[in-house]
Amino acid sequence: MRNIPPAISKDPGTKPAARWPLMLETEGWPDYALIDSGHGRKLERYGRYRIVRPEAQALWTPRLSEAEWESADAHFTGAKDEDSDGRWRYRKPIGETWPMAWRLPRAVGEGEVRFLGRFTAFRHVGFFPEQEMHWAWFAQEIHAAKRQPKVLNLFGYTGIASFVAAMAGAQVTHVDASKKAIGWARENQEMSGIADLPVRWIVDDAMKFVAREVRRGSRYDGIILDPPKFGRGPNGEVWDIFERLPEMMRLCRQLLSDDALFLCLSAYSIRASFMATHELTAEALSGLSGTIESGELLIREEGGGRTLSTSLFSRWSRNG
């Protein structure tokens, strides 16, 4: 993992300092690699499997031959965008799930998060590998606090960010609208052998949950948001990132404690600049000290090849 250093600017008013553009790049780890990309596809290694999925931003030409791409274990086909169902084509029969792991930063401890990869109808396999840059960052923020902070993980999906936070020393509230995703997260928790760590599971619409927490006067020391572009809550509530994210950020600001540590926002598959999330975050966190970093999450091809941008982000740290 390495960071491409940006410039730092100070806001003369009451907003946190700004650091952008920050390009956070992962080169993978033993259980993950971006092997090749191009012609609207990407070839990746997830644990024991090599898989091919669509990738609209891979406009260039693949380095490897078509025969090498075809030899992958699984190919996702039939979907034009990430909101559509598709199907997996397998080179030979393989299992629905397989084990994977990610190791905590050495500065935090020797722990390892273990979890299941799974082939889903929406092309995903249970986690987003570029998020390791955020996992390592907030794990160190939590560990350095020398106390047990309360962390809220919204749109928590299969729980890896929640487990990283809990293993670093936090008390975590994990919220996701999908009962199936929560069940998958519980499987991952058991697989990691961390059932005794303080993670509270909530199946709910994220916006409704946050609004209730504000009314209750709840406070958190850290907030993680990884919202989809579009989604539905358990009772049909509609989430559209362009329409709902500003309100969500205002509510999250009200949930941050007086000595809060961080807020981390990622945004996938949207037609926007990272400056959109940056200025929204700066507005929502007006009055706080610390630093807001904004930019893109990147994955570099195995062996030092090309770099693929996967998402936008803005993250605030009091001690940044």
Side-chain angles (χ1 to χ4, degrees), residues 77-289:
T77 61
K80 297 297 184 183
D81 57 58
E82 297 206 19
D83 298 323
S84 303
D85 284 355
R87 62 185 180 85
W88 289 94
R89 172 172 60 85
Y90 304 105
R91 187 166 56 88
K92 61 182 180 180
I94 56 180
E96 179 191 2
T97 65
W98 67 95
M100 298 197 55
W102 181 81
R103 187 165 295 280
L104 291 173
R106 191 168 297 177
V108 175
E110 296 299 319
E112 184 178 69
V113 180
R114 296 189 294 275
F115 49 95
L116 291 172
R118 177 177 275 123
F119 297 110
T120 73
F122 287 96
R123 85 181 65 188
H124 305 305
V125 295
F127 74 103
F128 301 95
E130 61 275 14
Q131 286 286 331
E132 76 150 340
M133 301 302 295
H134 289 332
W135 300 339
W137 175 77
F138 63 68
Q140 293 177 82
E141 293 282 328
I142 292 166
H143 182 72
K146 306 301 182 183
R147 56 187 171 95
Q148 186 179 50
K150 292 177 61 180
V151 170
L152 175 62
N153 185 12
L154 298 167
F155 310 94
Y157 197 32
T158 58
I160 301 171
S162 294
F163 304 143
V164 171
M167 293 173 74
Q171 177 183 336
V172 181
T173 297
H174 175 110
V175 181
D176 198 279
S178 168
K179 185 178 294 186
K180 187 174 182 179
I182 295 284
W184 189 348
R186 297 298 295 267
E187 288 183 79
N188 288 338
Q189 184 182 32
E190 182 177 349
M191 185 175 174
S192 288
I194 54 174
D196 58 328
L197 290 182
V199 179
R200 181 169 63 124
W201 304 101
I202 306 290
V203 179
D204 202 353
D205 175 74
M207 185 71 81
K208 286 185 174 180
F209 177 82
V210 167
R212 283 200 306 273
E213 288 290 88
V214 169
R215 291 194 298 270
R216 292 168 180 153
S218 299
R219 307 295 290 276
Y220 293 90
D221 303 304
I223 299 178
I224 304 163
L225 303 96
D226 192 12
K229 179 174 59 175
F230 181 86
R232 292 192 181 276
N235 297 311
E237 302 91 342
V238 175
W239 168 267
D240 182 299
I241 195 168
F242 284 106
E243 293 181 3
R244 307 304 301 276
L245 187 57
E247 180 185 358
M248 171 66 80
M249 291 295 286
R250 287 192 291 270
L251 292 171
C252 285
R253 171 64 181 93
Q254 295 177 64
L255 289 179
L256 287 174
S257 65
D258 292 340
D259 56 351
L261 301 172
F262 68 90
L263 181 145
C264 185
L265 166 67
S266 300
Y268 288 86
S269 302
I270 67 172
R271 294 178 179 177
S273 161
F274 69 84
M275 289 306 299
T277 61
H278 178 83
E279 294 296 353
L280 174 62
T281 303
E283 177 183 82
L285 302 185
S286 178
L288 293 179
S289 59

